[in-house]
Amino acid sequence: MSINPLDIKRKALLADTLIRSRAKVLESATPFSLEYAGVVGGIHVVNDSAATRVEKLAISLSSFDEPLVWIVEAGAHTRDLELLRDIISVRVKTIVAVGSDVDMVHKAVWPSMGYFIAADTWDEALDMAILSAKANDTILFSPGCRASEPFQNFRERGAYFNRLVEIKRQTNNHAQ
């Protein structure tokens, strides 16, 4: 088996970028950056709508020790997910992809994932993530790309996701 020098260079560049990105994250508090959104049925939900690049995704996924249920956006702006295969194989037990390019996300992460679920809406994605998780698991909403329609930016997308979590939390509490 030969080692591709281009792969080594890309991984080294990613590692260097991750270190610099981590330093920036620690220096400034960004809304919806690994922000705790609440608990739904004993499942912890983290809103990371500010994760708009693959480097930030790598940091976010690496921030957890336990396997995650990861909600990712599958759109034209989601790129380079194959660079995260090693992290995904260790940190993610279920991927819930929502958007127009679910097949691209599936292809990019296929060798490293446990379960893959496609959703049509953010609401459905959260429902599928909740159904895939068990008590004390963590759902990470970390889209991996800039916000797209109907959202103007990651802040609107993050606020919308927090509202969805709150609705699920209230609905779950009333069902018990």
Side-chain angles (χ1 to χ4, degrees):
M1 181 171 134
S2 64
I3 298 174
N4 184 343
L6 185 57
D7 286 342
I8 293 172
K9 186 174 182 177
R10 285 179 79 181
K11 286 184 180 184
L13 180 60
L14 177 62
D16 183 54
T17 305
L18 289 175
I19 292 168
R20 278 193 255 122
S21 294
R22 181 69 174 159
K24 284 182 187 177
V25 167
L26 293 173
E27 288 173 6
S28 65
T30 303
F32 308 115
S33 182
L34 293 176
E35 179 180 285
Y36 192 71
V39 177
V40 178
I43 301 161
H44 304 275
V45 183
V46 175
N47 186 339
D48 194 34
S49 181
T52 57
R53 298 181 334 266
V54 70
E55 298 86 5
K56 178 65 171 93
L57 271 176
I59 292 167
S60 299
L61 292 170
S62 298
S63 297
F64 297 88
D65 293 326
E66 69 279 352
L68 301 164
V69 175
W70 174 34
I71 301 174
V72 62
E73 186 166 345
H77 304 294
T78 310
R79 297 185 289 273
D80 297 329
L81 291 179
E82 67 275 354
L83 295 173
L84 301 179
R85 284 182 182 163
D86 292 341
I87 296 169
I88 291 169
S89 67
V90 173
R91 306 289 183 181
V92 178
K93 71 178 189 175
T94 304
I95 296 172
V96 180
V98 61
S100 60
D101 209 354
V102 171
D103 290 338
M104 181 275 304
V105 172
H106 185 261
K107 182 179 176 185
V109 299
W110 170 250
S112 56
M113 66 183 184
Y115 296 98
F116 187 90
I117 300 169
D120 293 323
T121 65
W122 292 113
D123 188 41
E124 182 182 26
L126 183 56
D127 282 342
M128 294 297 103
I130 291 167
L131 289 171
S132 300
K134 61 181 193 259
N136 294 319
D137 278 355
T138 299
I139 295 171
L140 174 64
F141 172 64
S142 196
C145 63
R146 63 186 172 150
S148 57
E149 289 293 328
F151 309 108
Q152 289 187 358
N153 54 47
F154 76 87
R155 287 176 181 86
E156 282 187 10
R157 179 177 62 193
Y160 178 77
F161 186 78
N162 278 354
R163 283 193 299 275
L164 287 178
V165 171
E166 182 59 23
I167 290 167
K168 302 297 181 197
R169 191 187 65 72
Q170 289 178 3
T171 303
N172 186 271
N173 286 342
H174 288 87
Q176 293 178 356

